[in-house]
Amino acid sequence: MSIDLNGRIALVTGASRGIGYFTALELARAGAHVIACARTVGGLEELDDAIKAVGGTATLVPFDLADMAAIDKLGGSIFERWGKLDILVANAGVLGTISPIDHVEAKVFEKVMNINVTATWRLIRSVAPLLLKSDAGRAVILSSSAAHKCKPFWGPYSASKAAVEAIARTWAGETQRTALRITSVDPGATRTAMRAQAVPGEDPSTVQHPSEVAKALLPLVAADYAETGKLFDMRQGRLVDYRLPE
């Protein structure tokens, strides 16, 4: 069944490539006007062309998530133009380095935390009032199995994704009596630049294409989606509950 997002305003970070690019494209194909954010202007322009080709519309916002002042201003700019936000897809993130935790350089650890955690929190703070103005606000926060597996040598990334999940779960609990629905997503192994950086010897054809993830995310932002505070596991193709340590 197709999902109708006509008249909805959607914000996607990390939209110039990978999961963000294809999610923005799918949202536009379904009728949403997409506010596409990324550092890479060329990638955003390519996305804009692809969105126009499917009959959609987009507003391009090139900026670096390390620019916290720009994140703070984003919510105000959206309010001035549209008065609300219906969909947030917080996708942008960085891997850092794969190395023993005591070998990670301070600047690398700080960058991972800054982009993956602090910028996500600043983004939520900036647009949360706008999502609450929607009749069916929806937020999707990209996570990773690294948040739970905590594999050796993945320390900074694992810690950042665990923190992002904690933020999303807290936010969901605080807003459960509103129309806002919040979902974390573990996309699984996906054919992205980050995956190639993490697993350089892997044949990319053996893992899913980001467009598959994008299609799976679409129901999570539909107006009739009712769950909140859960994790969508792409491998299982279903929502899962969080549990306390056993």
Side-chain angles (χ1 to χ4, degrees):
M1 186 176 67
S2 62
I3 293 173
D4 182 5
L5 298 179
N6 279 294
R8 314 304 275 180
I9 307 298
L11 171 64
V12 181
T13 64
S16 63
R17 62 183 182 179
I19 293 172
Y21 177 99
F22 287 98
T23 299
L25 184 57
E26 285 300 318
L27 290 168
R29 195 194 307 273
H33 177 79
V34 177
I35 304 166
C37 302
R39 289 180 302 165
T40 312
V41 175
L44 287 176
E45 291 174 343
E46 289 178 15
L47 171 65
D48 193 39
D49 290 341
I51 286 176
K52 288 176 179 174
V54 299
T57 61
T59 297
L60 308 183
V61 185
F63 77 97
D64 192 328
L65 279 177
D67 185 349
M68 299 300 167
I71 297 175
D72 292 345
K73 292 176 183 176
L74 183 60
S77 297
I78 294 171
F79 177 74
E80 288 175 8
R81 183 163 178 183
W82 293 285
K84 65 164 186 172
L85 182 67
D86 300 294
I87 298 165
L88 167 66
V89 180
N91 162 75
V94 296
L95 176 65
T97 57
I98 306 298
S99 70
I101 192 68
D102 58 325
H103 291 187
V104 177
E105 293 182 78
K107 65 180 181 181
V108 172
F109 190 89
E110 289 164 3
K111 179 179 180 180
V112 171
M113 290 298 169
N114 205 34
I115 298 300
N116 294 2
V117 183
T118 305
T120 299
W121 162 70
R122 291 285 277 256
L123 183 64
I124 289 169
R125 190 178 70 160
S126 185
V127 304
L130 302 174
L131 287 165
L132 290 171
K133 288 183 176 295
S134 171
D135 61 340
R138 302 289 178 262
V140 168
I141 314 294
L142 267 291
S143 187
S144 167
S145 63
H148 309 280
K149 292 180 177 178
C150 299
K151 294 190 298 184
F153 312 114
W154 286 67
Y157 187 70
S158 294
S160 72
K161 287 303 183 180
V164 166
E165 282 193 2
I167 289 170
R169 292 172 65 188
T170 302
W171 187 24
E174 293 167 352
T175 57
Q176 61 183 339
R177 295 185 182 277
T178 73
L180 177 58
R181 307 287 88 182
I182 299 157
T183 309
S184 296
V185 171
D186 172 8
T190 308
R191 201 180 312 169
T192 63
M194 183 185 290
R195 178 73 182 183
Q197 180 188 352
V199 192
E202 183 178 66
D203 178 357
S205 67
T206 62
V207 295
Q208 67 186 345
H209 192 271
S211 61
E212 297 176 55
V213 180
K215 289 183 174 65
L217 297 190
L218 217 56
L220 306 179
V221 301
D224 61 355
Y225 178 71
E227 300 287 353
T228 195
K230 294 192 176 185
L231 174 70
F232 180 78
D233 188 320
M234 185 70 187
R235 296 173 199 77
Q236 300 183 52
R238 67 184 183 91
L239 292 166
V240 296
D241 291 318
Y242 289 97
R243 296 185 299 175
L244 293 172
E246 297 177 343

